[in-house]
Amino acid sequence: MSQRYGGEFSPKSSDRNSDTRTDTGPVERSPYRGKIRSRAGGRVNLLFLAPLPLAFLAFFRDPGDLILRLLAFGALIAAAWLTREGILAQEEYDARKIARRPAVPRKLFGSAMTGIGLFLAASVDGTPIIAAALGLLGAGLHMLSFGLDPLRDKGMEDVDTFQTDRVARAVTEAEKHLRAMKETIDRTKDRRLEGRVDRFIATARAMFRTVEDDPRDLTAARKYLGVYLLGARDATTKFVDIYMRDPGGLARADYETLLDDLEANFAARTRQFLDDNRTDLDVEIEVLRERLAREGVRTE
């Protein structure tokens, strides 16, 4: 890595092919290009805003109503938080080809908390039957709007769970580094820099998907998912600290060059994994053809 930002590796390592180009490879085929922005916004943000009148109006009522309104406010805010976390967990689940279902069904709990919050709010001025009906209606509408959490593991049928667990842990740790990079670069409020980091993240995730498809690649990819991304995260943090003090300095060009080199390395290694997998397939096909030939079966 560039000495300007510290670290222990050089992007121009021996792992990169001599003919690597940054405008080819998995970056262009990545299904994650343009999908960095999370869906945990919009309607979810409204869930945080909707209960605010309860907290404000609570202080103009008698103590009993005040307690009910504040409890309702707390339940609805908890529902909004659970819903947001549930959506983020589902996005991570959907992005992976091999994934375990979320351990906690956050969206389901969010629906339940919505029902409880509406029941408490309606109990202030309404009858228990009306309050219960509003609570059930609110919970049902929440469930229809945001759906249920993933209820089963994905892509884990007839696979070595030990290997997939190793890959899942490595990818989870790598995703933490990518999220830290994204959150750090967002501090600059520079769309060009944000887009540049998004492109690198898409390239890195293309490698993640390749390793998930064939866990045997994990050993060769471990330094990319660990050391390289950790170095990229630390370099991003140091760059942003410099950039915030001196936006017009040379640090920007050095940082973009670093991202170019990292992206080229990740793309080249991902192509190598794909080529190795294709070679393995060709060998399997050739062995099968020889076996069929010995049995007297002709193949085209």
Side-chain angles (χ1 to χ4, degrees):
M1 175 172 293
S2 170
Q3 292 301 315
R4 180 179 293 273
Y5 303 109
E8 300 179 355
F9 73 97
S10 169
K12 298 179 181 178
S13 65
S14 58
D15 295 315
R16 188 173 71 182
N17 294 342
S18 59
D19 61 346
T20 297
R21 299 190 302 272
T22 59
D23 58 345
T24 61
V27 178
E28 301 302 325
R29 300 191 301 272
S30 172
Y32 305 98
R33 179 182 289 275
K35 296 186 179 180
I36 301 299
R37 187 177 299 277
S38 172
R39 292 174 298 179
R43 291 179 300 165
V44 178
N45 291 335
L46 290 177
L47 293 180
F48 285 96
L49 297 176
L52 293 180
L54 285 172
F56 176 75
L57 296 175
F59 295 97
F60 298 94
R61 306 298 292 260
D62 59 70
D65 289 349
L66 181 147
I67 292 174
L68 280 177
R69 286 178 179 269
L70 290 181
L71 287 174
F73 171 77
L76 291 173
I77 290 295
W81 179 81
L82 285 167
T83 302
R84 183 186 64 189
E85 294 301 309
I87 290 175
L88 292 175
Q90 183 165 5
E91 286 180 349
E92 185 173 349
Y93 175 90
D94 291 339
R96 297 184 179 185
K97 294 183 179 180
I98 300 175
R100 294 190 181 277
R101 67 183 184 275
V104 179
R106 298 175 182 87
K107 289 197 291 182
L108 182 61
F109 287 166
S111 295
M113 292 302 293
T114 298
I116 293 172
L118 291 177
F119 171 78
L120 292 172
S123 297
V124 175
D125 297 314
T127 64
I129 295 178
I130 294 177
L134 286 175
L136 290 174
L137 179 62
L141 290 175
H142 182 283
M143 194 174 300
L144 287 174
S145 297
F146 298 101
L148 294 173
D149 305 88
L151 300 178
R152 61 181 61 187
D153 298 336
K154 180 175 67 171
M156 302 188 68
E157 302 81 4
D158 301 324
V159 297
D160 186 338
T161 56
F162 174 74
Q163 292 293 340
T164 55
D165 284 346
R166 290 178 63 229
V167 171
R169 287 194 296 269
V171 170
T172 297
E173 192 65 25
E175 285 285 358
K176 290 180 182 178
H177 297 328
L178 293 182
R179 284 196 295 270
M181 285 183 65
K182 179 63 177 171
E183 292 170 1
T184 302
I185 206 66
D186 284 348
R187 289 167 46 199
T188 65
K189 306 298 182 183
D190 187 309
R191 289 185 178 273
R192 179 181 166 187
L193 284 172
E194 291 173 11
R196 186 65 193 82
V197 170
D198 285 348
R199 198 171 79 188
F200 168 68
I201 289 175
T203 304
R205 283 177 171 161
M207 176 181 285
F208 299 171
R209 307 291 84 82
T210 302
V211 174
E212 287 175 335
D213 284 343
D214 189 350
R216 294 175 300 175
D217 293 332
L218 178 60
T219 300
R222 188 174 292 280
K223 65 180 177 182
Y224 288 86
L225 275 60
V227 177
Y228 283 15
L229 286 183
L230 178 61
R233 184 202 68 183
D234 293 343
T236 301
T237 300
K238 294 177 182 179
F239 161 70
V240 171
D241 290 341
I242 296 172
Y243 179 85
M244 299 300 284
R245 296 194 300 267
D246 182 19
L250 298 175
R252 181 187 185 120
D254 290 342
Y255 179 67
E256 290 183 341
T257 299
L258 174 67
L259 289 180
D260 289 341
D261 288 340
L262 282 169
E263 187 174 337
N265 271 269
F266 273 76
R269 177 57 75 176
T270 303
R271 285 197 297 275
Q272 183 176 343
F273 290 153
L274 293 172
D275 290 342
D276 290 345
N277 293 342
R278 177 57 187 270
T279 300
D280 292 341
L281 175 61
D282 291 341
V283 170
E284 292 290 341
I285 293 174
E286 188 62 29
V287 169
L288 179 59
R289 283 176 174 170
E290 292 177 359
R291 191 169 299 168
L292 292 173
R294 288 197 298 270
E295 298 292 333
V297 179
R298 295 181 58 185
T299 60
E300 297 295 335

